[in-house]
Amino acid sequence: MTPGMEAWRFTLLGYQVGLAQPLFLLLFVMGLLLGALVLVKALGRRTRLSALLAERHVATLAPGVSVWRPAVQGGLYGLGLMLFGLALAQPQCGTKSELTKRRGIDVVVALDASKSMLARDVQPSRLDRARLELNTLLDELKGDRAGLVVFAGDAFVQSPLTSDYSAVKLFLRAVDPDVMPQGGTNVGAALRLAMQVLDNADRGSKERVVVLLSDGEDLTGEVREATDALKDARVQVLAVGVGSDSGEPIPVYDRRGEFVDYKKDGNGDTVITRLDRAGLTAIADATGGAFFYQPNGVAMSQVVERIDQMQKSELESRVTVRYDERFQFFAIPGLVFLVLGMMLLPSRRRPA
């Protein structure tokens, strides 16, 4: 669908009729204007010839000059453009009802949005790398429902389960550690909330997955209870590590987004944040999942391979209406008129 232009739907002689791309009717108008312009120009040319030469001298003094041939040629071009405009507008007539079934699994992404995700031990930052990983996941999902849980010291649902991946991407862009209501990192709360999202899903899938995107630093120690609940519900955690083993200080920015200093602890020492590879691996193993890490690449493609191997369930079935396309009835005659216009010479003169 062309942005900003809705399809036109109406009833004509009892049939459901529509134009899927009505913006292309501008080409129809251009063809109409072209035909009218050429006709006016041809009449003006005839008037000028009549003013200069007597009618009986035209054939002698202007042999081969035709007044109507250019008009006919322009008319063919104009008519061809008009028909092509109608064809590109995608005329539709008649409908068919189809039962559409969508199969997949339910995937909830738990995204770490704590201040440690601002560290730049991976470029451009841990949070931006996590966004890249999540966008890769959304681009490669096939019929699955995805939801987004964001967490720092507490967790909240950023996007419920949906098959509208563009909406999830829109919510993802709004994630900002500086506006999180509570500092710290509570992985356990994120896992529990992700479990609630899966349990509350309408027509939930047999296979369910939580994709955890984090550096793994858990400052609250509530992970064990959450992983036990996920294991009992047969929900796998696929953990994707973001960060480095060597660690990096956490930058602090002012309201204008400019770097001010590095985060300090109570003793005034610079805080160093590191990827907790062991912690993330333990979370994944406790639920029958797996840990993925690619320091110089995107690990999410391996996650997608794992998801594709899982048993798909019917998540939705609905009746959809499909309109029958009729563009060929206008495109073919339009092409014929354009070819005829190119074959018609504007005068009867033959090249020497």
Side-chain angles (χ1 to χ4, degrees):
M1 186 70 63
T2 303
M5 178 64 71
E6 296 290 336
W8 292 356
R9 307 290 183 204
F10 48 92
T11 303
L12 181 64
L13 300 178
Y15 291 96
Q16 292 293 325
V17 180
L19 294 174
Q21 302 282 356
L23 189 62
F24 283 103
L25 289 179
L26 292 175
L27 188 60
F28 176 90
V29 177
M30 289 175 59
L32 183 62
L33 293 176
L34 175 63
L37 180 62
V38 171
L39 179 60
V40 171
K41 187 175 180 180
L43 292 175
R45 187 181 186 189
R46 181 179 181 84
T47 301
R48 288 193 299 272
L49 276 176
S50 300
L52 293 173
L53 302 172
E55 189 71 28
R56 63 179 180 275
H57 298 309
V58 170
T60 304
L61 299 178
V65 174
S66 172
V67 173
W68 295 109
R69 279 174 177 259
V72 173
Q73 185 182 45
L76 290 172
Y77 282 145
L79 191 55
L81 284 177
M82 290 169 64
L83 291 173
F84 264 112
L86 287 174
L88 291 173
Q90 287 184 237
Q92 300 164 333
C93 181
T95 59
K96 293 180 180 177
S97 297
E98 297 179 344
L99 180 63
T100 303
K101 295 182 179 181
R102 189 170 56 81
R103 299 179 61 83
I105 68 171
D106 287 335
V107 180
V108 175
V109 178
L111 175 62
D112 189 347
S114 60
K115 292 293 182 65
S116 64
M117 293 294 285
L118 294 174
R120 295 180 178 273
D121 46 356
V122 292
Q123 294 299 319
S125 71
R126 292 181 184 179
L127 182 59
D128 288 330
R129 177 65 66 88
R131 284 195 179 102
L132 173 63
E133 295 278 5
L134 180 48
N135 278 313
T136 302
L137 173 66
L138 295 172
D139 289 339
E140 297 190 21
L141 287 179
K142 304 176 184 68
D144 308 289
R145 290 189 299 196
L148 178 60
V149 168
V150 177
F151 68 96
D154 199 1
F156 60 92
V157 178
Q158 185 83 346
S159 172
L161 283 170
T162 177
S163 56
D164 185 357
Y165 304 141
S166 60
V168 181
K169 290 182 179 181
L170 183 63
F171 288 120
L172 174 62
R173 288 196 293 269
V175 175
D176 185 355
D178 290 328
V179 299
M180 297 298 288
Q182 185 175 342
T185 308
N186 193 337
V187 178
L191 295 178
R192 289 198 307 272
L193 184 57
M195 183 69 201
Q196 292 178 21
V197 173
L198 292 171
D199 286 340
N200 295 333
D202 180 37
R203 299 183 66 176
S205 61
K206 294 180 181 178
E207 296 270 16
R208 301 181 295 174
V209 169
V210 174
V211 177
L212 175 62
L213 281 163
S214 175
D215 53 26
E217 288 192 330
D218 180 35
L219 306 182
T220 59
E222 300 177 8
V223 174
R224 184 63 178 271
E225 296 83 355
T227 55
D228 288 344
L230 289 167
K231 181 180 179 181
D232 292 341
R234 297 183 179 180
V235 177
Q236 297 182 32
V237 175
L238 305 180
V240 178
V242 184
S244 65
D245 298 315
S246 58
E248 181 81 5
I250 302 173
V252 178
Y253 301 96
D254 60 18
R255 292 183 178 180
R256 294 177 294 180
E258 297 179 357
F259 173 76
V260 176
D261 195 359
Y262 289 108
K263 186 177 180 180
K264 310 291 183 182
D265 61 17
N267 298 322
D269 299 324
T270 300
V271 176
I272 301 296
T273 173
R274 294 179 175 85
L275 170 67
D276 186 0
R277 188 193 299 259
L280 291 172
T281 302
I283 292 173
D285 290 345
T287 61
F291 171 71
F292 303 90
Y293 178 62
Q294 287 289 340
N296 299 316
V298 178
M300 197 60 74
S301 56
Q302 298 172 278
V303 176
V304 173
E305 290 179 7
R306 177 96 175 212
I307 290 175
D308 287 341
Q309 295 171 0
M310 297 179 179
Q311 182 181 356
K312 306 291 183 177
S313 303
E314 184 179 320
L315 297 176
E316 183 182 27
S317 60
R318 59 184 178 181
V319 176
T320 58
V321 177
R322 191 182 72 177
Y323 289 84
D324 296 329
E325 301 287 344
R326 306 295 184 185
F327 67 91
Q328 62 273 15
F329 295 116
F330 300 94
I332 295 174
L335 179 61
V336 171
F337 284 125
L338 289 177
V339 171
L340 290 176
M342 288 186 287
M343 293 175 61
L344 182 64
L345 297 176
S347 69
R348 293 189 299 270
R349 291 179 179 176
R350 296 182 180 274

